[in-house]
Amino acid sequence: MHVWRSLAEIPDLGPAVVTLGNFDGVHRGHQAVLEAMVADARARGHVALAMTFDPHPKAVHDPAHTPELITGVDDRIERLAATGLDGVLVVRYTLDFARQTPEEFVRDYLVRGLRASCVVVGRDTRFGRGNAGDVETMRALGAGLGFAVDIIDDACAVSESGRRWSSTWVRELLEAGDLPGANDVLGREHRIRGIVIHGDALGREIGFPTANLDHSAGMIPRHGVYAAWLTVLDARGNTRAAELVGERMPAAVSLGMNYTVGGTDLRVEAFAIDRTGIDLYDTEVALDLVEWRRPMLDFGSLDALIAALGEDVDWCREVLAIRA
């Protein structure tokens, strides 16, 4: 899949079926719509393209109330690629971009930039300065500029339970620590990622050496201990970790404050189960969370903490063996 960061990068791929959105989480509702759009484009002999935004528009217009994003932009792009799209334009969202009129946006981005023959939108789509454009605006512009408009079938966006698939639903489940539920809506495990940095080495001293993450992307769910899969995405110059790139390793993950030793800062730590002697410093890793076990607790002593960690690891090993 092609990924473009500006209109100037886009080659002439011929007529395109185009959609646009934030696609946070690229959940099953997004997937259903995008896969249907791709099939339609193939039937027409056209390419299928999407436009998405970074940062989230609300971070620009209302930074005090920016939603915590379920996925970072790199994971969003990867998930969009999995739907079969031919290309994605990642637009840097700024106030200048937001000042375009609906006609300017459609003409410059959808028609001239992406060469839309058909634009696929939801019924509640808004675009252009002050969100002045809506579905009827898009239809009128399509009639004048020469592209069709398809309205997304709401049935594509409704779950088996009858609730509409949504990023809001995913956030609710993550905040509750319901990872099986969140992962069902997402259609895959929830991922957080970051760079492995040096910590205080306490884990190594007590027999549970952990990879401490400088968290960079992915919503932090309910604090606690999780069963997860740890994957090295990029060795970033760490030759000792190069052979581990792409391997999914079972892990016990803790998210939160280590109360037993007086911790006050959020920590993201992963213990690679049944792996010894690995060096993950400076690598970029992903943690795909499978199931929540317990909250972060003050065990009162290191001995009690060590015993609890042993039980956590045994539980994680069993959960991941079942889910593998």
Side-chain angles (χ1 to χ4, degrees):
M1 184 186 76
H2 301 283
V3 180
W4 307 295
R5 305 271 177 176
S6 73
L7 292 177
E9 298 174 11
I10 304 174
D12 186 354
L13 299 175
V17 178
V18 177
T19 192
L20 60 152
N22 292 307
F23 303 114
D24 187 26
V26 195
H27 53 66
R28 288 172 63 185
H30 294 139
Q31 293 165 37
V33 169
L34 291 168
E35 288 166 3
M37 188 190 95
V38 168
D40 179 56
R42 298 286 182 270
R44 296 169 184 255
H46 297 178
V47 294
L49 307 178
M51 179 190 300
T52 190
F53 308 99
D54 183 41
H56 192 286
K58 199 162 187 179
V60 174
H61 293 291
D62 188 11
H65 300 94
T66 302
E68 185 174 7
L69 295 183
I70 298 164
T71 52
V73 67
D74 291 334
D75 288 315
R76 191 191 329 165
I77 289 168
E78 180 181 317
R79 306 308 184 191
L80 288 171
T83 67
L85 287 167
D86 297 294
V88 171
L89 172 63
V90 182
V91 174
R92 179 162 180 76
Y93 195 93
T94 64
L95 288 176
D96 281 343
F97 175 82
R99 291 188 185 103
Q100 297 175 99
T101 66
E103 182 176 2
E104 289 170 337
F105 167 69
V106 169
R107 183 193 64 225
D108 294 344
Y109 280 82
L110 301 185
V111 177
R112 293 177 181 171
L114 296 173
R115 298 169 181 82
S117 61
C118 177
V119 176
V120 179
V121 292
R123 295 188 184 279
D124 58 354
T125 294
R126 309 291 299 197
F127 60 96
R129 184 187 305 155
N131 278 336
D134 59 13
V135 168
E136 294 309 315
T137 311
M138 188 70 78
R139 282 179 167 148
L141 290 169
L145 295 169
F147 61 85
V149 177
D150 279 354
I151 308 302
I152 294 170
D153 181 359
D154 282 346
C156 290
V158 177
S159 72
E160 294 88 343
S161 70
R163 179 169 179 176
R164 187 180 180 87
W165 303 114
S166 71
S167 301
T168 298
W169 190 8
V170 176
R171 291 190 191 95
E172 290 173 4
L173 293 165
L174 291 176
E175 288 169 355
D178 183 356
L179 266 295
N183 293 346
D184 181 58
V185 179
L186 288 169
R188 64 181 183 283
E189 292 136 356
H190 174 58
R191 169 170 288 190
I192 59 178
R193 66 160 73 194
I195 304 298
V196 178
I197 58 175
H198 289 273
D200 53 23
L202 175 63
R204 188 173 303 279
E205 292 176 12
I206 63 176
F208 294 93
T210 58
N212 293 267
L213 269 67
D214 181 6
H215 169 252
S216 61
M219 178 178 166
I220 297 293
R222 179 183 182 184
H223 291 184
V225 173
Y226 290 85
W229 297 103
L230 184 157
T231 305
V232 179
L233 302 175
D234 186 344
R236 298 178 76 249
N238 181 341
T239 56
R240 294 176 297 281
E243 65 182 18
L244 298 174
V245 173
E247 179 183 350
R248 271 165 59 100
M249 295 177 276
V253 171
S254 64
L255 305 174
M257 278 68 78
N258 190 337
Y259 298 115
T260 303
V261 295
T264 57
D265 298 325
L266 172 67
R267 295 290 187 94
V268 179
E269 301 180 76
F271 171 71
I273 298 173
D274 299 329
R275 300 299 290 261
T276 60
I278 60 174
D279 176 0
L280 301 180
Y281 288 121
D282 300 321
T283 63
E284 182 180 22
V285 305
L287 301 177
D288 294 315
L289 305 181
V290 175
E291 194 163 335
W292 183 87
R293 170 166 167 77
R294 63 165 176 84
M296 302 298 286
L297 300 169
D298 185 348
F299 290 97
S301 71
L302 280 181
D303 287 342
L305 173 61
I306 291 168
L309 293 177
E311 294 174 0
D312 291 339
V313 169
D314 289 342
W315 177 85
C316 290
R317 186 185 285 112
E318 291 177 6
V319 168
L320 295 171
I322 293 170
R323 300 294 181 85

